[in-house]
């Protein structure tokens, strides 16, 4: 639904506009030069060479001025086939005259795909020491080598939008991910001292499995994920780590004995209030629930319930969590947490940012859209954060945020009318 190719008429129009803005500046400059040479009064100049210098200077200004127009966002969008909203322009809610649920309007779906595809191709970089293997760093546009986190989300984007390009070859990207493993196996963020951690390993393994990872290698890596999760005493106390592993195991290894254990851990660690439950940053001490962590827990438990037998307790926890989320989910402010683990006398650290609006939208759609107004508000909040198909976190453009934004748009478009 999100991945729509340009129509033939659009392609011809964009090519014509691109040719116009390419040939126009020099043609206009030469015309201006000729007109000035022929029509400037002789009485203005004591030396004839000054006429030619003035005409040349004016022609150069015309050329540079028209060439600068090509860099304006509106013109660049026209010549590239993109007509996305300007930054920070809110998505509008279209009032349905028949009284039906409102629909979200915004840039055409193909615009988001065109912008994201172009950026992915431009920012793919060769992995050091691995000729022919390309990936991404965590932030689009940074001149850093590929990382496990960036490449895993880049691969997810390629799959989500069904993109095809030599630089975006799926098998090559899987090989890149495998090459970016830590020395002891598994994957880690750059700040995690080269030690495989469950949250990053789950992100990378899930992406590689979706792209067709060899089944024997997948089984080996699932076992490794189970092993590093079980011995990670710090991660087992964090909602983000446990929900990430639960979601990955439910997708690629539903028979894993660790899956029901972690799902039960989530259920037992929820903070209860009457008939509602919520989750905070930690799974110990009954912390106050947060919107982002509760939404992540709902998504993980819903996925686990889809594959585990006898999942009545999972369904009950999901429904109780939804009750809390529907009441508190209007607070869509982003949040972050810092996860530290001891390594000898030092610490390894990872900062995890929560795109709260995207997680709320995912949780509601995973459960059949129990609150259309809240879902619509979350989708609008997600859409407002994009610029030409790329999502922004303050001044940064993290690749994971673009994946979350586009996947929300895709899933929402498959459930109800959206923009055309």
């Amino acid at each position: 639904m999100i991945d729509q190719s340009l129509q033939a008429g659009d392609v011809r129009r964009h090519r014509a506009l691109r040719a116009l803005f390419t040939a126009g500046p020099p043609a206009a400059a030469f015309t201006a030069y000729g007109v000035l040479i022929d029509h400037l009064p002789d009485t203005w100049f004591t030396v004839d060479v000054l006429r030619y210098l003035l005409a040349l200077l004016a022609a150069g200004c015309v050329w540079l001025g028209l060439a600068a127009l090509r860099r304006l966002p509106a013109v660049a969008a026209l010549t590239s086939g993109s007509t996305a909203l300007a930054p920070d322009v809110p998505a509008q809610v279209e009032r349905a005259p028949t009284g039906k649920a409102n629909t979200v309007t915004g840039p055409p779906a193909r615009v988001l795909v065109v912008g994201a595809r172009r950026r992915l191709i431009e920012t793919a970089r060769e992995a050091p020491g691995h000729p022919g293997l390309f990936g991404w760093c965590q932030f689009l546009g940074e001149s850093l080598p590929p990382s496990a986190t960036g490449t895993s989300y880049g691969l997810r984007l390629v799959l989500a939008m069904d993109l095809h390009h030599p630089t975006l070859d799926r098998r090559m990207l899987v090989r890149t991910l495998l090459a970016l493993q830590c020395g002891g196996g598994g994957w880690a963020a750059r700040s995690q001292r080269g030690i495989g951690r469950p949250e990053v390993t789950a992100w990378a393994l899930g992406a590689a499995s979706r792209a067709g990872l060899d089944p024997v290698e997948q089984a080996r890596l699932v076992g490794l994920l189970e092993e590093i999760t079980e011995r990670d005493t710090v991660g087992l106390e964090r909602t983000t780590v446990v929900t990430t592993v639960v979601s990955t195991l439910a997708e690629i290894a539903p028979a894993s004995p660790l899956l029901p254990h972690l799902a039960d851990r989530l259920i037992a660690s929820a903070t209860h209030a009457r008939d509602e439950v919520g989750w905070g940053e930690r799974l110990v001490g009954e912390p106050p629930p947060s919107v982002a962590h509760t939404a992540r827990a709902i998504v993980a438990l819903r996925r686990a319930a889809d594959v585990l037998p006898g999942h009545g307790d999972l369904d009950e926890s999901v429904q109780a969590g939804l009750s809390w989320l529907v009441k508190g989910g209007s607070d869509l402010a982003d949040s972050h947490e810092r996860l530290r683990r001891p390594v000898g006398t030092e610490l390894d650290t990872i900062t995890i940012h929560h795109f709260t609006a995207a997680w709320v939208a995912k949780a509601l759609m995973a459960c059949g859209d129990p609150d259309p107004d809240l879902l619509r508000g979350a989708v609008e909040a997600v859409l407002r954060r994009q610029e030409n198909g790329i999502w922004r976190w303050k001044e940064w453009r993290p690749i994971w945020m673009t994946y979350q934004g586009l996947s929300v748009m895709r899933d929402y478009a498959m459930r109800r009318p959206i923009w055309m």
Side-chain angles (χ1 to χ4, degrees), residues 37-391:
I37 289 295
D38 293 337
H39 294 87
L40 283 173
D42 294 336
T43 56
W44 286 14
F45 307 97
T46 57
V47 181
D48 200 44
V49 71
L50 295 178
R51 177 200 304 272
Y52 293 96
L53 288 176
L54 179 60
L56 185 63
L57 179 62
C61 291
V62 170
W63 189 328
L64 293 175
L66 292 177
L69 289 177
R70 294 186 60 189
R71 293 191 288 272
L72 293 176
V75 176
L78 287 173
T79 58
S80 66
S82 173
T83 55
L85 293 175
D88 302 324
V89 176
Q92 301 296 317
V93 180
E94 184 180 77
R95 299 295 175 185
T98 60
K100 296 181 180 179
N102 300 334
T103 59
V104 175
T105 61
R110 64 175 175 79
V111 167
L112 303 181
V113 175
V114 168
R117 179 183 186 274
R118 182 173 60 247
R119 194 73 172 190
L120 281 178
I121 294 171
E122 292 173 350
T123 56
R125 303 184 184 281
E126 193 170 47
H130 302 283
L133 297 183
F134 290 81
W136 294 269
C137 63
Q138 185 170 345
F139 297 97
L140 293 169
E142 283 193 342
S143 56
L144 293 174
S147 68
T149 302
T151 302
S152 67
Y153 278 104
L155 177 54
R156 287 173 184 264
L157 275 168
V158 169
L159 297 171
M161 297 186 291
D162 193 27
L163 301 183
H164 297 277
H165 186 273
T167 308
L168 309 180
D169 178 74
R170 292 153 171 76
R171 288 176 293 182
M172 179 274 293
L173 293 174
V174 170
R175 292 197 300 272
T176 303
L177 268 180
L178 294 175
L180 291 173
Q181 288 186 84
C182 301
W187 288 269
R190 294 192 191 279
S191 58
Q192 292 183 307
R193 299 179 178 271
I195 301 172
R197 298 303 188 185
E199 64 277 6
V200 186
T201 299
W203 292 331
L205 179 55
S209 298
R210 290 182 186 184
L213 180 64
D214 176 73
V216 174
E217 182 67 6
Q218 177 177 313
R220 184 189 72 81
L221 289 170
V222 166
L224 178 62
L225 174 60
E226 294 170 335
E227 178 186 340
I228 63 177
T229 300
E230 289 179 313
R231 66 170 185 252
D232 183 11
T233 56
V234 174
L236 286 172
E237 294 183 351
R238 304 297 281 262
T239 303
T240 298
V241 175
V242 173
T243 54
T244 301
V245 176
V246 166
S247 294
T248 298
L249 290 178
E251 178 182 354
I252 68 173
S256 167
L258 185 60
L259 176 56
H261 170 71
L262 292 180
D264 289 342
R265 187 180 186 89
L266 274 178
I267 294 173
S269 302
T271 299
H272 291 259
R274 297 187 179 89
D275 294 330
E276 302 166 3
V277 300
W279 286 264
E281 182 177 310
R282 296 180 178 272
L283 296 177
V284 293
E286 293 195 353
S290 83
V291 174
H293 291 94
T294 299
R296 294 184 79 128
I298 290 171
V299 171
L301 290 174
R302 182 66 264 159
R303 291 178 180 174
D306 287 340
V307 298
L308 291 176
H311 50 72
D313 53 345
L314 296 178
D315 291 333
E316 291 175 4
S317 290
V318 167
Q319 291 304 315
L322 277 173
S323 297
W324 184 92
L325 189 66
V326 167
K327 290 183 178 180
S330 58
D331 180 8
L332 300 176
D334 296 330
S335 62
H336 73 277
E337 63 180 286
R338 188 164 286 111
L339 180 56
R340 298 183 177 91
R341 294 180 176 91
V343 180
T345 59
E346 305 291 335
L347 293 173
D348 79 10
T349 304
I350 181 173
T351 300
I352 301 172
H353 294 88
H354 303 290
F355 189 4
T356 302
W359 281 109
V360 169
K362 286 175 179 286
L364 295 173
M365 288 188 286
C367 299
D369 184 10
D371 190 319
D373 290 335
L374 178 57
L375 175 58
R376 189 167 53 254
V379 172
E380 290 169 7
V382 170
L383 190 57
R384 282 196 295 269
R385 303 288 291 279
Q386 69 85 29
E387 177 185 352
N388 296 323
I390 301 298
W391 269 255

